[in-house]
Amino acid sequence: MLLLGDNLARIIAIANQKGGVGKTTTAVNLGASLAIAEQRTLVIDCDPQANTTSALGFPKDPSRRTLYQSMILDEPLDRIILHTQVEGLDIIPSDKNLVGASVELVSMESREYRLKALLQQLRERYSFILIDSPPALDLLTLNALTASDAVLVPIQCEYLALEGVSELLDTLMRLRRTINPALAIEGILLTMYDDRTTLSKQVAADLRSFFGTQVFESVIPRNVRLAEAPSHGKPVVFYDIHSKGSESYIQLAKEVIANAQKRLGQGTERTDPGARAATATTASAAAAGGASSNSGSGGSDSSGNGPSGSTA
């Protein structure tokens, strides 16, 4: 069992100005993998499309309180948080009303700090808080980056993705100089990797050559099971734990935990093989039960995702 001890939650924004790179897929599946590793985790859906909310098993419900009520109407987050089907994983849901928040925030005092203020009351309850940001540098994304300790940047393994990297990092550096001096780069995550193509390999090599250790060792592949999971309202680890997508996000969770432990001066490992095996067995059993219940269901992705496994 990997533990971080009694510390304030590490808040990580999952952000990229480009859409379709795997932000939502990463928020859902990294969150579930952290929870399976017994790290109590909160996922915040900061995107008005609400794909993270639906991918964790909560269909559209006009009567449900969402992040909008907290950011704009000062509703306490305790009334917003929902417990997911994954033990130790909670979510603050989103809905289409959040579109209006970007407009309404403009006239508010300390508009960039609204989310940060709200999260202070929750930091002692969790080990990690993940924020799924919209694919734009608007006031919602700005709130996410201001509230965060670090930013995780998913990058699609395609040529055009390289062109936006420098712009994104330049934006992050400007935010660090003006609004959030403590903002760190949690890591760059290669997504939609296809080891059958020279292009994916070349893009990955170029990113590792330029950014070095800032690029996660874990790589998220193009994976059909990863794309199918959101249509069943489940993280891939509970849809098909043996898929490549599931294995990749479990490895990513280990890297994120190890990074947090390094920052706390606890070393990169504090576990024993037996405990880790027990955790994996528990997750596998739960996943097997979920997979059998879906054995007759279709594999289409209601979010409109292709086989890349991206919902963002």
Side-chain angles (χ1 to χ4, degrees):
M1 181 173 63
L2 292 163
L3 293 174
L4 296 184
D6 298 326
N7 297 281
L8 295 178
R10 181 160 181 80
I11 303 177
I12 301 173
I14 301 171
N16 191 326
Q17 290 158 284
K18 181 175 172 58
V21 297
K23 291 186 296 295
T24 295
T25 300
T26 297
V28 169
N29 293 294
L30 175 57
S33 297
L34 288 169
I36 285 173
E38 299 190 16
Q39 303 299 317
R40 188 161 178 78
T41 302
L42 173 68
V43 173
I44 299 174
D45 192 350
C46 205
D47 188 340
Q49 296 180 76
N51 287 333
T52 296
T53 303
S54 62
L56 282 172
F58 298 96
K60 287 180 171 56
D61 180 358
S63 65
R64 181 191 299 134
R65 295 186 182 96
T66 68
L67 182 61
Y68 174 84
Q69 275 76 22
S70 284
M71 290 191 70
I72 305 302
L73 305 177
D74 296 317
E75 186 89 10
L77 285 177
D78 281 336
R79 300 181 184 177
I80 309 295
I81 294 174
L82 301 174
H83 302 299
T84 73
Q85 60 195 305
V86 182
E87 185 177 355
L89 179 65
D90 295 339
I91 182 172
I92 293 177
S94 172
D95 68 356
K96 62 182 180 181
N97 289 324
L98 209 56
V99 173
S102 292
V103 177
E104 295 175 70
L105 283 168
V106 171
S107 60
M108 291 188 172
E109 188 176 348
S110 302
R111 59 191 182 185
E112 301 94 345
Y113 300 92
R114 298 283 292 181
L115 184 57
K116 182 176 182 177
L118 288 169
L119 291 182
Q120 295 310 306
Q121 59 186 288
L122 298 178
R123 294 195 69 167
E124 293 183 355
R125 303 187 197 176
Y126 297 95
S127 295
F128 292 96
I129 297 176
L130 306 180
I131 307 175
D132 181 24
S133 308
L137 190 60
D138 57 10
L139 276 171
L140 291 174
T141 300
L142 192 57
N143 264 269
L145 294 173
T146 301
S148 297
D149 301 309
V151 57
L152 188 157
V153 185
I155 295 180
Q156 188 176 357
C157 287
E158 293 185 0
Y159 175 73
L160 292 177
L162 292 173
E163 295 185 347
V165 177
S166 58
E167 291 181 18
L168 175 64
L169 295 183
D170 181 61
T171 299
L172 294 176
M173 293 308 103
R174 279 185 276 129
L175 284 173
R176 185 184 288 178
R177 288 196 300 268
T178 56
I179 294 177
N180 187 358
L183 185 65
I185 304 295
E186 182 69 23
I188 294 170
L189 178 65
L190 304 178
T191 63
M192 305 177 202
Y193 181 81
D194 188 344
D195 61 7
R196 298 170 298 178
T197 67
T198 302
L199 178 60
S200 279
K201 293 177 181 177
Q202 188 60 54
V203 170
D206 289 347
L207 286 168
R208 291 191 188 281
S209 174
F210 189 79
F211 293 106
T213 57
Q214 285 189 314
V215 181
F216 284 108
E217 289 295 325
S218 303
V219 175
I220 309 304
R222 288 187 179 273
N223 182 248
V224 173
R225 303 300 270 175
L226 197 56
E228 291 174 346
S231 66
H232 297 281
K234 294 183 176 185
V236 70
V237 71
F238 285 97
Y239 180 64
D240 185 354
I241 194 172
H242 301 296
S243 67
K244 289 184 178 179
S246 177
E247 293 171 356
S248 297
Y249 275 110
I250 289 172
Q251 285 302 122
L252 176 62
K254 291 179 180 179
E255 283 195 68
V256 170
I257 292 169
N259 287 345
Q261 290 175 327
K262 286 178 183 177
R263 291 183 178 91
L264 293 172
Q266 295 178 348
T268 59
E269 286 287 340
R270 199 167 57 133
T271 183
D272 62 85
R276 185 184 298 172
T279 300
T281 301
T282 301
S284 180
S292 63
S293 66
N294 285 316
S295 57
S297 55
S300 63
D301 188 342
S302 61
S303 307
N305 301 330
S308 64
S310 172
T311 59

